[in-house]
Amino acid sequence: MAGDEEFRRWWNRIGRRAAAPTVATAVRTVATGTDLRHRLPAVSAPTLVLHRRNCLNVDVGHASYLAHHLPDARLQTTAGTDALWFTDAPELVQRAVAFLTAR
């Protein structure tokens, strides 16, 4: 989506409306500074971990780690480079629906 100028304008506009810079910085600090890996074995819900094979800003190793350390997890990778799930939803939605209806 980085090359889509209209999307970039929209993304920047909603980003500016979401939170003041100090609040956004605080939220990001908490989100990226919190380590909950020790809690993964306690998750009892079946989990589908979806990740784009060639994601440009989140390494697939993070998804692999989650899938390996959650007790009932399955990793499925999809084509693409974008971390924004809603930019190419059909395949992701199909996989999520299949996962939810298979149980």
Side-chain angles (χ1 to χ4, degrees):
M1 297 308 295
D4 184 331
E5 191 56 39
E6 184 177 341
F7 178 84
R8 288 173 58 109
R9 280 194 300 275
W10 172 80
W11 185 258
N12 289 334
R13 187 172 58 253
I14 67 164
R16 286 189 296 276
R17 293 178 181 170
T22 53
V23 173
T25 300
V27 169
R28 184 176 178 98
T29 299
V30 170
T32 60
T34 304
D35 184 358
L36 297 174
R37 288 176 290 181
H38 67 285
R39 303 288 295 153
L40 295 178
V43 174
S44 60
T47 306
L48 174 63
V49 180
L50 291 170
H51 192 85
R52 304 240 193 228
R53 284 184 207 99
N54 301 307
C55 185
L56 297 174
N57 61 337
V58 179
D59 187 274
V60 71
H62 295 291
S64 297
Y65 184 92
L66 283 174
H68 183 74
H69 289 87
L70 288 164
D72 188 12
R74 184 170 73 224
L75 172 63
Q76 291 188 347
T77 59
T78 63
T81 60
D82 210 318
L84 302 176
W85 66 269
F86 54 85
T87 61
D88 181 19
E91 184 181 5
L92 297 175
V93 170
Q94 289 169 355
R95 288 178 183 247
V97 168
F99 175 77
L100 293 170
T101 57
R103 298 278 173 168

